[in-house]
Amino acid sequence: MSAQLNLVETISRYVTLQPGRKALKGKCPFHRDEMSSLMVIPDRDIFKCFGCGAEGGTIEFLMLLENKTRTQVVEDLGRRTFSAQ
Ligand SMILES: [Zn+2]
């Protein structure tokens, strides 16, 4: 299922992530971020923004970024995975 989609890999497509001690940091795509407020925690497969409060996993990231419903994101991911093979 798409829940296993790699979060860091997905976010890296849109945001440049800098490695940190426990989390990766980057500029949040959901608000005007000058301070790299976005944290990605690979161990827990979640992201969190300390600027605007956005948080979640891969599906939530894509929902926010593409302004889609969970169903649409899951369908898109299924299609993308399918067509890539
Ligand atoms: Zn933010």
Side-chain angles (χ1 to χ4, degrees):
M1 248 288 276
S2 45
Q4 268 126 46
L5 203 82
N6 189 291
L7 177 69
V8 174
E9 207 174 278
T10 303
I11 295 183
S12 303
R13 272 187 239 151
Y14 305 95
V15 181
T16 306
L17 292 172
Q18 313 283 343
R21 245 173 293 169
K22 278 192 169 175
L24 305 167
K25 289 177 82 175
K27 286 192 179 177
C28 175
F30 307 124
H31 77 282
R32 260 188 88 86
D33 189 7
E34 305 295 330
M35 298 165 56
S36 296
S37 310
L38 188 78
M39 308 276 283
V40 183
I41 305 157
D43 289 354
R44 293 168 61 197
D45 236 14
I46 55 164
F47 71 92
K48 184 168 175 64
C49 173
F50 292 98
C52 66
E55 61 183 320
T58 306
I59 291 174
E60 287 77 13
F61 182 84
L62 293 171
M63 281 168 66
L64 287 166
L65 196 82
E66 300 179 352
N67 201 19
K68 285 179 176 168
T69 64
R70 178 175 297 270
T71 311
Q72 285 173 314
V73 169
V74 171
E75 278 176 5
D76 279 3
L77 289 174
R79 211 173 297 142
R80 240 175 265 168
T81 309
F82 186 72
S83 58
Q85 281 166 355

